[in-house]
Amino acid sequence: MPLGGGNKCGCCKKTVYFAEEVQCEGQSFHKSCFLCMVCRKNLDSTTVAVHQDEIYCKSCYGKKYGPKGYGFGGGAGTLSMDGGEALGIRPAGETSHRPTNNPNPSKFAQKLGGSDVCPRCGNAVFAAEKVVGGGNSWHKSCFRCAKCGKSLESTTLADKDGEIYCKGCYAKNFGPKGFGFGQGAGALAHSQ
């Protein structure tokens, strides 16, 4: 044990004391630092996979360092929308998250060859990747809050003018304003 009380954390390089120590492959980690390098999930001895000095959950490790090609991965009949962005893989021509400004919200105008059209990206939405919310069909990867980009579910969304928001962003941008709103339970705002 080095001078100063404990070993150094393999992640943050700060001193790790015995009560908060997790050991893996001869290295010490704080319990709060023992996270997957990609998805940031908490790890334990049954879920950790090590590559050189980096720690991963088994799922991210398999995606990054596992076998590639035909016959590996998602299994028979599955469609994966994971493009590998979290692993540093950038698809060609990727655009950042952009809110929808659909000038023609009619259902007829959104049909393209019998398939629904995603209001966020404008591409066809097929049954395997379809999520319905706010009166429209969306790609799973496009079904996100227009303000903060948070993934949504049908129970966690609010829609306004053909766009979808998480409940927090909706309340902040379109909810009631004025004295007594938005300050939290029992809080008073004092201004001079």
Side-chain angles (χ1 to χ4, degrees):
M1 189 177 296
L3 218 66
N7 296 320
K8 298 293 180 190
C9 177
C11 184
C12 70
K13 308 298 183 212
K14 294 181 181 174
T15 302
V16 181
Y17 296 99
F18 182 76
E20 58 186 354
E21 183 178 36
V22 177
Q23 289 194 343
C24 178
E25 299 272 320
Q27 284 190 314
S28 296
F29 295 89
H30 294 105
K31 288 179 185 175
S32 59
C33 291
F34 199 57
L35 305 170
C36 174
M37 304 285 285
V38 176
C39 69
R40 310 296 295 161
K41 287 182 185 171
N42 286 323
L43 300 173
D44 61 36
S45 62
T46 62
T47 59
V48 69
V50 180
H51 183 80
Q52 295 166 351
D53 287 336
E54 298 175 335
I55 54 175
Y56 300 93
C57 67
K58 289 187 177 183
S59 175
C60 291
Y61 180 86
K63 288 177 187 173
K64 191 164 186 173
Y65 298 109
K68 308 276 188 292
Y70 181 76
F72 294 104
T78 62
L79 175 64
S80 174
M81 296 303 296
D82 181 5
E85 293 85 5
L87 304 174
I89 301 169
R90 292 274 176 219
E94 180 182 337
T95 58
S96 63
H97 168 78
R98 57 185 171 88
T100 306
N101 292 320
N102 187 354
N104 191 353
S106 75
K107 297 290 180 207
F108 182 75
Q110 291 184 359
K111 295 291 181 186
L112 175 68
S115 297
D116 293 329
V117 175
C118 176
R120 175 80 26 90
C121 68
N123 294 325
V125 180
F126 300 101
E129 57 188 357
K130 183 177 186 176
V131 179
V132 178
N136 291 311
S137 297
W138 305 78
H139 294 109
K140 289 177 186 174
S141 58
C142 294
F143 198 61
R144 298 178 169 278
C145 175
K147 290 287 183 187
C148 67
K150 177 181 173 183
S151 290
L152 298 173
E153 296 176 11
S154 60
T155 59
T156 63
L157 74 87
D159 66 309
K160 181 172 176 68
D161 300 329
E163 191 53 85
I164 55 175
Y165 303 90
C166 67
K167 290 188 177 186
C169 287
Y170 183 87
K172 192 185 313 178
N173 292 288
F174 307 111
K177 308 261 188 295
F179 183 76
F181 294 104
Q183 295 295 321
L188 292 176
H190 180 69
S191 61
Q192 293 182 354

